[in-house]
Amino acid sequence: MSSISVPPPKCLQKPLTVPYRHMFGPGPSNVPSRILEAGANPVIGHMHPEIFEIMNDIKSGIQYMFQTQNKMTLAVSGTGHSAMECAIFNAVEPGESVLVAVNGIWGERAAEMAERIGARVNTIVAPPGGCFTIEEMEKALSKHRPALLFVAHGESSTGVLHPLDGIGQLCHKYNCLFLVDSVASIGGAPVYMDQQEIDILYTGSQKVLNAPPGTAPISFSERACQKIFSRRTKPVSFYLDLSWLANYWGCDGKPSRVYHHTGPVTAFYSLRESLSVLVEEGLENSWERHLKVAEYFHAGLESMGLKLFVKEKRLRLPTVTTIVAPYGYDWKEITSYIMKTHNLEISGGLGPSVGLVGENDDRVPICIIQTHSFLPVCFTLDVFVVFQVLRVGLMGCNSSRENVDMVLAALKDALKHCHKSKV
Ligand code: PMP
């Protein structure tokens, strides 16, 4: 008689099957076989000298990708969210003031994370598809005197590329650290961490880098380190505590590394390979390719009569394009049709870009409820308001004219076949 009451599941007696898909949503993107194969190398110990060498290579790759000399450069074992929490949990102590520039879901989430650790959070909120001027930033900095300002460089929920020039210098005038989320933009649009005086910059592995999800490059300036290493209180998270991570990644100058957590070694192999691919192409070539392909894509969409959600060209994220879902169509029908018929993922809106549909002829103020504070923020927007969007991500190896043609053909087909419905 068996002593176990839960029998072996039948499903696990069948082989694993995973389909191939064109991953043209806002992430993850397709992983080229070269990067997948790197991850299939044998597992070695997370404290073996060979893995430390691989981690050192990753560190150099991140310094190149971020354009920084920061010694405190590493990859968090986790997705983009873990890097967000690593940045906020280490840089902010309970009771400190944090300012968040919210122009999409990533600002909302950063505000919520800072609130959870007892920070005093203030937000400035831009309408979806918009961004902030330097003057607006300065007004908010001088009013709230925050210890940290958060800005999403690539707001993947709305498709906005937020200009960064001048904000770092402004933050330092007000003795504030500048934190930038580049999960959806790094490698696909210019970022110069040192020149732009960014104090903390992070990204994820699964977008332009084309590595599997699960590692998150992050870097801290000298100024950020000074604040972090003179904290009065310990960061709430042991796992994300920068003093431990700094030691594991050999960034603290100590002669030996101490076990903190079991580094995901195979994910490190893939991340290293993805950084090699970027180094081989060259950062500037990669920026240029993403921009050219995005322009080609945007022209194709407009020639089909579709409208881009971000009106100002210079604010369009070259990696993730937001398209106004054509009036009368249900975006869910379009995305599922394209998945079923073309084996291709594109996605709908997220956060503030998910919901409202309707023309705004009467210029009625539109109110958005901020999820972290439940305070409504109201805007009156010009011509019409259609907040339902489709999001298409063409990142890293996926950013090519051939893929644009494939997406345009799929969209044309979907618009022909998805009935104009009751929305
Ligand atoms: N920030 C931005 C701008 C993102 O696009 C994403 C992922 N969509 C994240 C943060 C969070 O990353 P992850 O899903 O890897 O935790």
Side-chain angles (χ1 to χ4, degrees):
M1 241 241 318
S2 169
S3 65
I4 56 173
S5 58
V6 180
K10 288 259 177 326
C11 58
L12 289 181
Q13 295 168 37
K14 289 189 220 140
L16 169 74
T17 51
V18 181
Y20 181 85
R21 280 202 179 118
H22 302 292
M23 297 298 291
F24 301 161
S29 46
N30 289 105
V31 180
S33 47
R34 169 176 171 183
I35 295 174
L36 278 177
E37 280 157 20
N41 271 290
V43 168
I44 56 170
H46 58 287
M47 302 296 286
H48 291 181
E50 296 85 352
I51 199 74
F52 291 156
E53 212 169 295
I54 291 169
M55 289 160 79
N56 288 343
D57 296 345
I58 290 173
K59 183 171 159 165
S60 305
I62 300 172
Q63 286 169 328
Y64 171 67
M65 177 171 65
F66 285 3
Q67 287 299 291
T68 184
Q69 311 278 351
N70 291 336
K71 276 199 311 215
M72 195 59 69
T73 299
L74 52 99
V76 182
S77 306
T79 69
H81 278 86
S82 68
M84 278 177 103
E85 293 202 333
C86 180
I88 295 168
F89 290 1
N90 281 289
V92 181
E93 293 200 66
E96 282 186 330
S97 163
V98 170
L99 178 64
V100 181
V102 179
N103 64 341
I105 197 175
W106 301 110
E108 288 174 4
R109 293 223 170 150
E112 162 147 12
M113 287 170 186
E115 248 166 32
R116 281 176 184 237
I117 56 159
R120 290 178 291 116
V121 179
N122 290 290
T123 54
I124 43 174
V125 184
C131 71
F132 301 93
T133 62
I134 281 281
E135 291 72 32
E136 287 167 330
M137 293 277 186
E138 175 143 35
K139 203 168 139 209
L141 284 169
S142 78
K143 181 168 168 203
H144 301 297
R145 300 284 165 165
L148 182 81
L149 167 69
F150 171 94
V151 174
H153 181 227
E155 207 0 299
S156 56
S157 66
T158 58
V160 169
L161 180 73
H162 201 296
L164 296 177
D165 281 342
I167 306 176
Q169 287 74 4
L170 203 59
C171 283
H172 298 146
K173 181 172 148 194
Y174 289 93
N175 197 24
C176 165
L177 295 178
F178 184 30
L179 165 61
V180 174
D181 176 323
S182 71
V183 174
S185 58
I186 205 83
V191 179
Y192 307 89
M193 183 171 191
D194 290 355
Q195 254 168 269
Q196 291 173 319
E197 297 194 19
I198 299 168
D199 294 298
I200 311 175
L201 181 66
Y202 64 82
T203 191
S205 53
Q206 76 275 25
K207 305 230 179 188
V208 171
L209 279 176
N210 299 133
T215 52
I218 191 166
S219 179
F220 297 82
S221 71
E222 199 45 52
R223 200 185 256 106
C225 290
Q226 267 169 23
K227 178 169 189 320
I228 291 168
F229 295 126
S230 55
R231 289 175 63 109
R232 283 171 293 108
T233 57
K234 286 186 180 178
V236 287
S237 169
F238 178 84
Y239 188 58
L240 299 173
D241 186 327
L242 188 61
S243 8
W244 281 97
L245 295 176
N247 177 266
Y248 182 39
W249 280 82
C251 304
D252 63 357
K254 296 209 174 122
S256 61
R257 305 191 196 194
V258 177
Y259 165 66
H260 170 240
H261 69 283
T262 307
V265 292
T266 56
F268 291 162
Y269 309 156
S270 301
L271 180 61
R272 186 198 181 282
E273 195 65 15
S274 70
L275 288 161
S276 286
V277 172
L278 184 66
V279 164
E280 280 168 26
E281 179 177 18
L283 201 48
E284 286 159 303
N285 292 337
S286 177
W287 297 338
E288 168 99 1
R289 177 169 55 84
H290 282 82
L291 181 66
K292 288 266 155 64
V293 168
E295 283 171 353
Y296 175 67
F297 184 32
H298 298 169
L301 289 166
E302 284 176 334
S303 76
M304 279 173 63
L306 289 169
K307 288 200 175 73
L308 290 161
F309 185 65
V310 181
K311 298 279 166 281
E312 249 188 276
K313 271 195 181 152
R314 72 182 176 99
L315 297 183
R316 289 179 188 157
L317 191 53
T319 45
V320 179
T321 296
T322 42
I323 308 158
V324 176
Y327 189 70
Y329 283 89
D330 181 353
W331 67 262
K332 282 197 200 109
E333 224 177 303
I334 298 178
T335 54
S336 14
Y337 178 85
I338 289 179
M339 176 69 96
K340 215 164 49 201
T341 321
H342 296 266
N343 194 29
L344 187 160
E345 179 188 69
I346 64 165
S347 101
L350 178 68
S353 65
V354 82
L356 291 169
V357 189
E359 310 241 332
N360 196 15
D361 292 338
D362 302 329
R363 294 184 56 78
V364 179
I366 304 296
C367 292
I368 294 166
I369 308 294
Q370 300 182 72
T371 50
H372 68 280
S373 65
F374 301 107
L375 286 177
V377 181
C378 297
F379 308 101
T380 307
L381 295 174
D382 289 345
V383 209
F384 58 82
V385 176
V386 179
F387 282 166
Q388 267 207 341
V389 302
L390 294 165
R391 295 183 301 151
V392 179
L394 292 171
M395 296 184 272
C397 65
N398 284 350
S399 167
S400 69
R401 281 180 165 240
E402 297 75 60
N403 287 345
V404 166
D405 293 340
M406 200 192 300
V407 176
L408 290 174
L411 275 170
K412 267 184 204 146
D413 182 33
L415 294 184
K416 229 188 289 157
H417 285 88
C418 299
H419 299 295
K420 283 206 168 206
S421 56
K422 327 93 229 166
V423 270

Short mmCIF file of all heavy atoms in Angstrom, two decimals, residues 330-352:
data_model
loop_
_atom_site.label_atom_id
_atom_site.label_comp_id
_atom_site.label_asym_id
_atom_site.label_seq_id
_atom_site.Cartn_x
_atom_site.Cartn_y
_atom_site.Cartn_z
N ASP A 330 -13.60 45.70 -31.26
CA ASP A 330 -13.21 45.30 -29.92
C ASP A 330 -11.77 44.80 -30.00
O ASP A 330 -11.47 43.85 -30.73
CB ASP A 330 -14.16 44.19 -29.45
CG ASP A 330 -13.84 43.73 -28.04
OD1 ASP A 330 -12.82 44.19 -27.49
OD2 ASP A 330 -14.61 42.92 -27.50
N TRP A 331 -10.86 45.43 -29.25
CA TRP A 331 -9.45 45.06 -29.38
C TRP A 331 -9.20 43.59 -29.05
O TRP A 331 -8.31 42.96 -29.59
CB TRP A 331 -8.53 45.99 -28.57
CG TRP A 331 -8.68 45.91 -27.07
CD1 TRP A 331 -9.41 46.75 -26.29
CD2 TRP A 331 -8.08 44.96 -26.19
NE1 TRP A 331 -9.32 46.37 -24.98
CE2 TRP A 331 -8.50 45.28 -24.88
CE3 TRP A 331 -7.22 43.86 -26.35
CZ2 TRP A 331 -8.12 44.56 -23.75
CZ3 TRP A 331 -6.83 43.13 -25.23
CH2 TRP A 331 -7.28 43.49 -23.95
N LYS A 332 -10.03 43.06 -28.14
CA LYS A 332 -9.80 41.65 -27.74
C LYS A 332 -10.05 40.72 -28.92
O LYS A 332 -9.37 39.71 -29.09
CB LYS A 332 -10.75 41.27 -26.61
CG LYS A 332 -10.29 41.80 -25.28
CD LYS A 332 -11.00 41.07 -24.14
CE LYS A 332 -10.93 41.90 -22.88
NZ LYS A 332 -12.16 42.49 -22.44
N GLU A 333 -11.05 41.09 -29.75
CA GLU A 333 -11.35 40.27 -30.92
C GLU A 333 -10.18 40.34 -31.91
O GLU A 333 -9.79 39.33 -32.50
CB GLU A 333 -12.61 40.84 -31.58
CG GLU A 333 -13.61 39.79 -31.99
CD GLU A 333 -14.85 40.45 -32.56
OE1 GLU A 333 -15.48 41.27 -31.85
OE2 GLU A 333 -15.17 40.16 -33.73
N ILE A 334 -9.62 41.53 -32.05
CA ILE A 334 -8.49 41.71 -32.98
C ILE A 334 -7.28 40.89 -32.52
O ILE A 334 -6.70 40.12 -33.29
CB ILE A 334 -8.09 43.21 -33.10
CG1 ILE A 334 -9.26 44.02 -33.66
CG2 ILE A 334 -6.84 43.38 -33.94
CD1 ILE A 334 -9.00 45.51 -33.78
N THR A 335 -6.93 41.02 -31.23
CA THR A 335 -5.73 40.31 -30.77
C THR A 335 -5.94 38.80 -30.81
O THR A 335 -5.02 38.06 -31.18
CB THR A 335 -5.29 40.76 -29.35
OG1 THR A 335 -6.40 40.63 -28.47
CG2 THR A 335 -4.80 42.19 -29.33
N SER A 336 -7.15 38.33 -30.46
CA SER A 336 -7.31 36.86 -30.50
C SER A 336 -7.36 36.35 -31.94
O SER A 336 -6.85 35.26 -32.22
CB SER A 336 -8.50 36.32 -29.70
OG SER A 336 -9.37 37.29 -29.33
N TYR A 337 -7.94 37.12 -32.85
CA TYR A 337 -7.96 36.70 -34.25
C TYR A 337 -6.52 36.57 -34.79
O TYR A 337 -6.16 35.58 -35.44
CB TYR A 337 -8.76 37.71 -35.10
CG TYR A 337 -8.76 37.35 -36.57
CD1 TYR A 337 -9.70 36.44 -37.09
CD2 TYR A 337 -7.81 37.90 -37.44
CE1 TYR A 337 -9.69 36.10 -38.44
CE2 TYR A 337 -7.79 37.55 -38.79
CZ TYR A 337 -8.72 36.65 -39.28
OH TYR A 337 -8.71 36.30 -40.60
N ILE A 338 -5.71 37.58 -34.45
CA ILE A 338 -4.33 37.58 -34.95
C ILE A 338 -3.53 36.42 -34.36
O ILE A 338 -2.73 35.77 -35.04
CB ILE A 338 -3.67 38.96 -34.70
CG1 ILE A 338 -4.32 39.99 -35.63
CG2 ILE A 338 -2.17 38.91 -34.89
CD1 ILE A 338 -3.80 41.39 -35.49
N MET A 339 -3.79 36.15 -33.10
CA MET A 339 -3.09 35.01 -32.46
C MET A 339 -3.51 33.70 -33.12
O MET A 339 -2.67 32.86 -33.46
CB MET A 339 -3.44 35.00 -30.96
CG MET A 339 -2.87 33.83 -30.21
SD MET A 339 -1.08 33.92 -30.06
CE MET A 339 -0.95 34.67 -28.46
N LYS A 340 -4.82 33.56 -33.33
CA LYS A 340 -5.33 32.29 -33.87
C LYS A 340 -4.92 32.10 -35.32
O LYS A 340 -4.48 31.03 -35.73
CB LYS A 340 -6.86 32.29 -33.74
CG LYS A 340 -7.39 30.91 -33.45
CD LYS A 340 -8.83 30.86 -32.94
CE LYS A 340 -9.77 31.66 -33.78
NZ LYS A 340 -10.99 32.06 -33.20
N THR A 341 -5.04 33.16 -36.11
CA THR A 341 -4.85 33.02 -37.55
C THR A 341 -3.39 33.20 -37.97
O THR A 341 -2.95 32.61 -38.94
CB THR A 341 -5.73 34.07 -38.29
OG1 THR A 341 -6.96 34.15 -37.60
CG2 THR A 341 -5.95 33.72 -39.73
N HIS A 342 -2.68 34.06 -37.27
CA HIS A 342 -1.31 34.39 -37.72
C HIS A 342 -0.23 33.92 -36.74
O HIS A 342 0.95 34.20 -36.94
CB HIS A 342 -1.18 35.89 -37.95
CG HIS A 342 -2.05 36.39 -39.06
ND1 HIS A 342 -1.63 36.53 -40.35
CD2 HIS A 342 -3.37 36.72 -39.07
CE1 HIS A 342 -2.62 36.96 -41.11
NE2 HIS A 342 -3.70 37.08 -40.35
N ASN A 343 -0.67 33.26 -35.64
CA ASN A 343 0.29 32.76 -34.65
C ASN A 343 1.19 33.89 -34.15
O ASN A 343 2.40 33.72 -33.98
CB ASN A 343 1.14 31.64 -35.29
CG ASN A 343 1.89 30.85 -34.24
OD1 ASN A 343 1.44 30.74 -33.10
ND2 ASN A 343 3.04 30.32 -34.61
N LEU A 344 0.59 35.01 -33.91
CA LEU A 344 1.36 36.22 -33.64
C LEU A 344 0.74 36.95 -32.45
O LEU A 344 -0.47 37.21 -32.44
CB LEU A 344 1.31 37.04 -34.92
CG LEU A 344 2.10 38.29 -35.15
CD1 LEU A 344 2.18 38.54 -36.66
CD2 LEU A 344 1.53 39.47 -34.46
N GLU A 345 1.57 37.27 -31.47
CA GLU A 345 1.04 37.99 -30.30
C GLU A 345 1.20 39.50 -30.47
O GLU A 345 2.30 40.00 -30.70
CB GLU A 345 1.78 37.59 -29.02
CG GLU A 345 1.24 38.37 -27.82
CD GLU A 345 2.03 38.19 -26.54
OE1 GLU A 345 3.17 38.68 -26.46
OE2 GLU A 345 1.48 37.58 -25.61
N ILE A 346 0.05 40.21 -30.38
CA ILE A 346 0.10 41.65 -30.10
C ILE A 346 -0.84 41.81 -28.91
O ILE A 346 -1.58 40.89 -28.58
CB ILE A 346 -0.32 42.54 -31.30
CG1 ILE A 346 -1.78 42.32 -31.68
CG2 ILE A 346 0.58 42.34 -32.49
CD1 ILE A 346 -2.31 43.43 -32.60
N SER A 347 -0.83 42.98 -28.27
CA SER A 347 -1.67 43.02 -27.08
C SER A 347 -2.54 44.27 -27.02
O SER A 347 -2.38 45.20 -27.82
CB SER A 347 -0.79 42.84 -25.84
OG SER A 347 -0.54 44.05 -25.22
N GLY A 348 -3.46 44.27 -26.03
CA GLY A 348 -4.32 45.44 -25.82
C GLY A 348 -3.66 46.41 -24.87
O GLY A 348 -2.46 46.32 -24.61
N GLY A 349 -4.42 47.32 -24.34
CA GLY A 349 -3.88 48.34 -23.44
C GLY A 349 -3.58 47.78 -22.07
O GLY A 349 -3.89 46.63 -21.77
N LEU A 350 -2.99 48.64 -21.24
CA LEU A 350 -2.65 48.24 -19.87
C LEU A 350 -2.78 49.50 -19.01
O LEU A 350 -2.35 50.57 -19.41
CB LEU A 350 -1.20 47.73 -19.83
CG LEU A 350 -0.64 47.31 -18.48
CD1 LEU A 350 -1.33 46.05 -17.96
CD2 LEU A 350 0.86 47.05 -18.57
N GLY A 351 -3.36 49.35 -17.83
CA GLY A 351 -3.51 50.50 -16.93
C GLY A 351 -4.35 51.57 -17.59
O GLY A 351 -5.44 51.30 -18.06
N PRO A 352 -3.82 52.81 -17.66
CA PRO A 352 -4.64 53.90 -18.16
C PRO A 352 -4.98 53.79 -19.64
O PRO A 352 -5.85 54.50 -20.12
CB PRO A 352 -3.78 55.14 -17.91
CG PRO A 352 -2.41 54.64 -17.74
CD PRO A 352 -2.51 53.24 -17.21
#
